[in-house]
Amino acid sequence: MKTVHEEEYNIFLKNIQKERDDTSKFVKILFAIVVAVCLAAVVVLYFAEQDSVIDSIFGADSVIAKKFDAYNEARDNRKTSSSVFLPRRQNILLLGVDTNLNGTDIWRGTRSDTMILINIDSKDKTINAITIPRDCKVILPGRHGVQKINSAHAIGGIDMVKKTISEMLGVKIDKYIIVNDETVRQVVDAVGGVPIYVEKSMHYNDYSGKLFINLEKGDTVLNGTQAVGYLRYRKDGLGDIGRTHRQQWFLKHFMKKLKNPSTIARLPEVINVLHKYVKTDMSVFELTQIANYLRGLDENHIEIALLPGAPNQKGYVSYWIIDPVKTQEVINRLIYRDKSDVDYTHLTAGLMFETKRSEDAKIIKTTLEELGYKVNTMELNYLPHTQFVANDSNVTTDFFDYIRKKIPQINNCQYVFDPAHNYSVNSDFTIVLGEK
């Protein structure tokens, strides 16, 4: 059975804590970045034709009002334009950077705590994403030698980051979006908080890093500061893997919050936050087109994978060493969308479940066996949120949809692509049955 190597990860995390880059205020996440961009675009779509409203909220000569004017001009001219954004799949690099504390340019000299490569397919309106660990060991362009990848932005800005990732993964980066470390906190507050189920009590105080987490298990509405704590917490024995699962859980509930009509009234606050803390080479018109794809997106069809690899220590420095074979598998699946015809009846199913869910587990196991699958099971005292984990590259979201229709107990669970088999019971796909 392949599981998370907890002891190895604990050593890895302990070494990281000694380094300066672990003291940055916040580790950004895919969800907040994608949502931030979506929110900005939705605001444009909602207010674009209401010039009087824009002027009354932001002022006729404000920067934001001028951006709306630019959008309207682009909208009026797009019928005669030969250039249409997203005519093909696009790779958009999302970066979350820390604070440089110099009080002037908030982008200069900052490290990228989070790097996400997003692939948007305009044909089938789907999004895939690859999370790139900040401690990846890379060779930076020029004469900078071996470094952690999160130093690329501090040394050479966005151009060095794009070049480094392109060479490492062998893909072209079309656009970029960068957010400052205050974005998540302020956007969550601006939308009025995010309702979510906190899967366990989380308590942690870091006075030097000014991080104070005090969350109790159960249903709650996270404000900005609480969201930061929830998304940054990793004292559960799973380190960055556990944190990644919480990020995916947070995404589902943030997307639901965006669909709530009450959020519309708060969008002017959101755009003020985004104007200050988001930097991109995309036009407002391009963002609105992405928003059109995102607004009707089923969050269960967002495929996310952590760049496969393993922790490695060299002296006092800890690196994430990528697995080239598994990484190419992720690239082929999530970027190039390679799929092959598979006889799903020959797949092996895995079922990991909490003791409290044993009755549900019996029902699920019986259903899977009736569908013709061999089922390997494991009972544990604590598991993260309920998930459907694709361990085989051919287990697609289409198959996930098929299984969800057969097993209503997992209808609202997360979809995770994990070719490294961090969660696997010697299986091709694994159902992780947590409390919710």
Side-chain angles (χ1 to χ4, degrees):
M1 181 188 71
K2 297 181 180 179
T3 59
V4 177
H5 299 294
E6 182 175 335
E7 182 178 354
E8 187 176 6
Y9 271 90
N10 284 337
I11 294 173
F12 176 59
L13 295 172
K14 190 175 295 183
N15 285 323
I16 291 179
Q17 288 174 353
K18 297 177 182 178
E19 300 177 38
R20 181 180 177 185
D21 61 357
D22 192 47
T23 63
S24 60
K25 289 184 179 179
F26 181 56
V27 179
K28 266 69 57 183
I29 54 170
L30 162 68
F31 323 134
I33 300 173
V34 171
V35 168
V37 175
C38 181
L39 281 169
V42 169
V43 171
V44 173
L45 291 173
Y46 183 72
F47 287 119
E49 297 181 358
Q50 304 179 42
D51 294 335
S52 60
V53 175
I54 294 298
D55 291 346
S56 63
I57 294 175
F58 301 110
D61 297 323
S62 67
V63 173
I64 294 177
K66 291 178 181 178
K67 286 184 179 292
F68 279 103
D69 290 339
Y71 164 73
N72 286 327
E73 182 179 352
R75 180 199 61 205
D76 294 338
N77 294 333
R78 65 188 175 190
K79 292 183 180 180
T80 59
S81 173
S82 60
S83 175
V84 180
F85 186 63
L86 295 179
R88 56 180 175 80
R89 293 184 193 132
Q90 297 278 303
N91 293 321
I92 301 175
L93 180 62
L94 309 178
L95 298 182
V97 299
D98 62 11
T99 300
N100 57 19
L101 302 178
N102 66 11
T104 55
D105 187 344
I106 65 173
W107 310 109
R108 185 181 298 276
T110 53
R111 294 161 297 183
S112 49
D113 280 339
T114 291
M115 288 151 282
I116 314 289
L117 185 62
I118 300 293
N119 180 267
I120 299 180
D121 191 327
S122 60
K123 183 178 180 181
D124 60 11
K125 297 184 179 180
T126 59
I127 292 179
N128 293 342
I130 300 175
T131 301
I132 303 171
R134 62 181 181 176
D135 296 313
C136 277
K137 186 177 183 180
V138 296
I139 299 177
L140 295 184
R143 299 181 178 181
H144 300 288
V146 175
Q147 301 273 356
K148 292 185 178 185
I149 197 170
N150 75 331
S151 65
H153 188 265
I155 294 173
I158 185 61
D159 289 338
M160 179 172 287
V161 179
K162 289 171 60 178
K163 184 174 178 60
T164 301
I165 294 177
S166 292
E167 292 179 352
M168 179 176 69
L169 301 182
V171 299
K172 177 185 177 183
I173 296 175
D174 299 289
K175 297 288 182 177
Y176 72 84
I177 302 169
I178 311 175
V179 300
N180 184 267
D181 64 359
E182 274 294 302
T183 306
V184 174
R185 189 191 318 272
Q186 298 205 27
V187 166
V188 169
D189 283 337
V191 300
V194 176
I196 200 169
Y197 174 76
V198 178
E199 72 275 18
K200 64 181 296 183
S201 295
M202 302 178 187
H203 302 284
Y204 177 74
N205 294 318
D206 179 0
Y207 292 93
S208 61
K210 297 182 180 179
L211 174 66
F212 307 100
I213 303 172
N214 186 25
L215 296 173
E216 298 297 335
K217 179 179 178 179
D219 292 308
T220 188
V221 178
L222 298 177
N223 62 29
T225 299
Q226 290 172 326
V228 169
Y230 180 77
L231 296 168
R232 192 173 175 186
Y233 185 79
R234 61 183 185 185
K235 300 297 181 180
D236 55 1
L238 295 175
D240 283 332
I241 292 177
R243 182 168 57 183
T244 297
H245 292 159
R246 279 186 288 278
Q247 293 169 358
Q248 293 167 338
W249 183 247
F250 184 80
L251 169 62
K252 288 176 64 68
H253 293 275
F254 210 156
M255 297 282 280
K256 290 179 182 178
K257 177 69 176 186
L258 291 182
K259 297 175 182 178
N260 189 318
S262 66
T263 304
I264 297 296
R266 296 177 175 270
L267 291 178
E269 290 181 59
V270 176
I271 200 171
N272 275 321
V273 173
L274 299 179
H275 174 65
K276 181 176 181 180
Y277 294 108
V278 176
K279 178 181 179 181
T280 180
D281 62 348
M282 299 173 67
S283 70
V284 175
F285 177 60
E286 289 170 336
L287 291 174
T288 61
Q289 289 193 302
I290 289 181
N292 281 329
Y293 296 122
L294 294 180
R295 291 167 76 185
L297 181 69
D298 181 351
E299 59 266 25
N300 290 310
H301 286 185
I302 300 176
E303 295 195 41
I304 303 172
L306 179 71
L307 196 65
N312 178 269
Q313 181 176 335
K314 185 174 180 61
Y316 293 101
V317 180
S318 298
Y319 292 104
W320 182 265
I321 309 299
I322 67 170
D323 181 328
V325 175
K326 292 295 184 182
T327 293
Q328 190 59 54
E329 186 177 334
V330 169
I331 295 296
N332 291 342
R333 165 70 179 274
L334 270 62
I335 302 299
Y336 298 121
R337 310 298 181 99
D338 287 353
K339 294 182 180 180
S340 58
D341 294 331
V342 182
D343 182 359
Y344 289 121
T345 61
H346 288 84
L347 296 176
T348 298
L351 178 59
M352 301 174 68
F353 61 95
E354 281 199 355
T355 302
K356 296 178 181 179
R357 300 292 301 275
S358 58
E359 291 302 316
D360 286 333
K362 290 178 183 178
I363 296 173
I364 293 173
K365 182 176 186 294
T366 299
T367 303
L368 289 170
E369 289 175 338
E370 290 175 348
L371 293 172
Y373 299 110
K374 175 185 176 182
V375 184
N376 298 325
T377 63
M378 174 179 289
E379 181 176 349
L380 295 172
N381 290 325
Y382 169 74
L383 284 169
H385 303 104
T386 298
Q387 303 167 351
F388 179 93
V389 183
N391 303 121
D392 186 282
S393 61
N394 291 308
V395 178
T396 65
T397 53
D398 292 334
F399 179 70
F400 174 45
D401 287 341
Y402 167 73
I403 292 295
R404 283 197 300 157
K405 292 176 182 178
K406 302 294 183 179
I407 305 176
Q409 290 88 346
I410 65 169
N411 189 51
N412 293 316
C413 75
Q414 296 171 264
Y415 178 94
V416 179
F417 179 48
D418 177 26
H421 291 254
N422 289 309
Y423 275 99
S424 171
V425 190
N426 293 324
S427 50
D428 298 305
F429 68 91
T430 305
I431 294 175
V432 180
L433 204 58
E435 285 197 30
K436 284 194 177 183

